[in-house]
Amino acid sequence: MTMALVNSEEAAVRSDGAGLPPAPTVGLFERIAHPGRSRRLLIQHRQTAAERITAASAHIAGEFAGTLAAVEAQQATLKTVADGEAQARSAAEASKRALQRFDDRTTAARDAADLMAAKLSTLEELNESIRGQIEASLAAVASAAKRHADAIREGTALQGEAGEIRQLVDLVAEIAGETRILSLNASVEAAHAGREGLGLSLVAEEIRTLADAALGAATKAGSQLAEAGGEAARATGHLAAAVEASDGDVERGRDVVQRLGAAGADMAETRDATDAVLAATSNDLSAIAPPLKDVDGLAASIDAQSAVCRQTLREAQHQTEAVAQCFKAALALNEWSGALMTAAEAADTAGIADPARDTANAADALLAEIDEGTRAAVTVLDAVETAGHACRSALAAAQTASESLLAPRPDSGSAAELRDQLAAVVAALRDCARDARGVTDGLGRALDDNGKARARLDAFEQAVQRAERIVESAIAIAGQTGALGVDGSLEAARGPSARGFIGVCAEVRDLSRDTVLSAERIKERLTAALGRCGRVGADLDAIAKTIGSEIEIQRAVLRSLDGVADHIASLQAGAGQMTADLAESDAALCEARTAVALIANAATDASRIMEEAGTATRAREQDAAVLAASAKTIAFLADELRSVG
């Protein structure tokens, strides 16, 4: 098509002499008739033709100078595009690395969320179990406190019993005092009996001695019972302190149970938030698969674009070299046309033939270079069109990748909120553990008070046992006193003067009998008190065992609660890492989007450049055809000058 255009334009140029007027014809008759005029016309024609040739060759040289600058600039632009392909390829690789980093970080965040959700579910169940154990333990402690209250009533009853028994002991002491008075009366009656009363005096003395012993025993028994009453009162005080401590601990423990329930609800809410993060990261991982594939396709498009752009650059280099050769040939033509002009101006008919021949040869050489340049331009045009198609394909791939990169939406903010929720749960559990530890310490104090009460109860029991032994001795003394009363009556019956002594002995026997009866009642009451004391002691031992067991249970529960708090604290740290991972995912996604946008911009620029290069190449192809026509005209004129010369 190009050569046809050149040939058609050549015909046009030859038809009008490239704008030159037809050369005047100098005939033989005119040469003979007017030899001077003929010479002047010939010289004028040569000069005019030489001027036209010189002007045309200068124009051609100038045009090729401009064309050479243009193709060199175009080559530089195409080189920029080719060099930019490396940057685009690097951007594609950077995008792929960023997306891989996104995939890695998001996978880490998803796995962390998955593990966290599972652990939270387990810890939530463990927290509920701990809550149930504390609740059961508090129920046991409350039951122990109720039994403590029963023990307080029993202790108060023992204290009252000791007081009542002491009143009986006081009665025994009163009887012993009366017996002592009777012993004095017996001594008086024995003295009235004279010699017959000597034996009776001894009996009276023994009765007084036994009465004093009975009075001493009663006093000691009363002292022991007073001590027992005091011990019962102190035991009751310790039990009251234990009840007060237990009641307070139960209330505080119930508050802990309630707060653990709230913490469990917060853990469930946090687990739901973790599930949401898990779902979001899983969706992001699913959404990143198409961009990864698109970026791979984009890289392939860039590779294809790079190959054709490199080929286009090589063809452009060849075209530049061809245009440079055209410019060089145009300069040679311009130089020969100058020599032709010099010869034409010298009016040397014979001297113009050689410059005209050289000019014609130079014009033919230029035509050959123009023809080579035209073929190079055709090749460049094909390469540019192919490269333009590759650039548009790369642009389409970049746009596809850019659109697919909009789907993933990593949210580090939700992970940060999750971290804050976990921190709140940890703080709540730490507070619960602290207060639960206070409850356990309070139970320890209640157990200590229970132990003190048990010690006082043991002291009560020992005092009562001592009183019991004393009462038994008092019974024995009363029996001896009664026996002396009998002996004294028998002794007094031997002498008529000791009848008064007989009456005293009868009263002694009666008092002795009353003492024995009272002491027996006292012993029965003491035995009953010891039985009640034993039952209360057994209850306190059982309560101590219960409280001690609950303390151990609560300590184990506290260790579990501390473990739950520690595990959630580790999850909190994991949520912090998850936040960092998702922030890194977001940054990586932004990098990938930026890289793809850079590639899209580069592909847009490259496509535009290729389109402009194609337009410019087609324009230069047409210009080359015109210049070829001018060169042919120059060759035609130079040949004519040579033939005329």
Side-chain angles (χ1 to χ4, degrees), residues 232-559:
R234 284 187 286 275
T236 302
H238 288 307
L239 289 174
V243 168
E244 182 179 1
S246 297
D247 289 343
D249 291 335
V250 168
E251 288 303 316
R252 287 190 294 274
R254 285 171 179 164
D255 178 65
V256 169
V257 168
Q258 184 176 2
R259 285 154 54 198
L260 281 175
D266 291 340
M267 290 169 68
E269 183 178 346
T270 304
R271 176 172 49 78
D272 291 341
T274 304
D275 289 338
V277 172
L278 175 60
T281 51
S282 297
N283 289 337
D284 284 342
L285 287 173
S286 297
I288 203 62
L292 279 169
K293 182 178 179 181
D294 291 340
V295 168
D296 285 338
L298 178 58
S301 295
I302 292 172
D303 289 341
Q305 177 183 337
S306 178
V308 295
C309 285
R310 290 289 175 187
Q311 179 61 33
T312 301
L313 180 61
R314 286 192 292 271
E315 298 299 340
Q317 175 66 33
H318 179 65
Q319 181 189 27
T320 301
E321 293 172 355
V323 172
Q325 290 299 320
C326 288
F327 179 54
K328 182 178 179 181
L331 290 177
L333 174 60
N334 191 43
E335 183 179 353
W336 287 114
S337 65
L340 178 62
M341 184 65 194
T342 301
E345 289 175 347
D348 184 1
T349 303
I352 203 170
D354 291 340
R357 183 188 67 250
D358 293 336
T359 299
N361 292 338
D364 290 338
L366 175 59
L367 283 170
E369 295 298 340
I370 290 175
D371 189 50
E372 179 64 27
T374 299
R375 286 192 295 272
V378 171
T379 304
V380 167
L381 186 58
D382 291 341
V384 164
E385 289 176 350
T386 302
H389 177 73
C391 291
R392 288 189 294 275
S393 296
L395 176 59
Q399 290 172 340
T400 299
S402 181
E403 290 173 0
S404 64
L405 283 172
L406 295 176
R409 297 180 180 273
D411 183 11
S412 59
S414 59
E417 290 176 3
L418 179 60
R419 177 194 59 203
D420 295 341
Q421 287 177 321
L422 289 170
V425 171
V426 170
L429 291 177
R430 299 288 192 207
D431 289 343
C432 287
R434 181 196 61 229
D435 293 344
R437 194 166 282 108
V439 170
T440 303
D441 293 341
L443 289 179
R445 290 190 292 272
L447 182 61
D448 184 55
D449 286 330
N450 185 87
K452 291 177 181 178
R454 186 69 174 87
R456 299 283 69 79
L457 194 63
D458 288 343
F460 172 89
E461 183 179 26
Q462 292 168 6
V464 170
Q465 288 173 346
R466 287 193 297 270
E468 187 179 36
R469 287 193 295 271
I470 292 170
V471 169
E472 288 175 350
S473 67
I475 291 173
I477 291 171
Q480 292 175 8
T481 302
L484 281 175
V486 172
D487 291 343
S489 295
L490 293 175
E491 186 66 26
R494 293 178 184 157
S497 58
R499 290 184 178 180
F501 191 86
I502 293 174
V504 172
C505 286
E507 291 183 16
V508 168
R509 287 196 305 274
D510 291 340
L511 291 176
S512 174
R513 184 175 60 252
D514 291 341
T515 299
V516 170
L517 292 174
S518 296
E520 290 292 346
R521 287 197 298 273
I522 291 171
K523 186 176 180 182
E524 290 175 0
R525 298 283 294 272
L526 289 175
T527 301
L530 286 173
R532 174 176 282 182
C533 179
R535 289 191 296 274
V536 173
D539 283 344
L540 292 184
D541 290 341
I543 291 170
K545 184 177 180 180
T546 297
I547 294 177
S549 176
E550 296 308 318
I551 287 174
E552 291 304 316
I553 290 173
Q554 290 198 17
R555 284 174 178 168
V557 168
L558 277 172
R559 288 191 293 271

Side-chain angles (χ1 to χ4, degrees), residues 214-236:
L215 181 61
T219 301
K220 289 180 181 178
S223 176
Q224 291 300 318
L225 288 170
E227 181 181 347
E231 293 294 351
R234 284 187 286 275
T236 302

Side-chain angles (χ1 to χ4, degrees), residues 23-46 644:
T25 304
V26 182
L28 178 60
F29 174 76
E30 188 174 358
R31 289 181 186 179
I32 295 172
H34 305 285
R37 180 181 177 188
S38 174
R39 181 176 177 81
R40 283 195 305 272
L41 287 175
L42 184 59
I43 291 172
Q44 181 183 356
H45 170 70
R46 289 175 177 173
V644 173

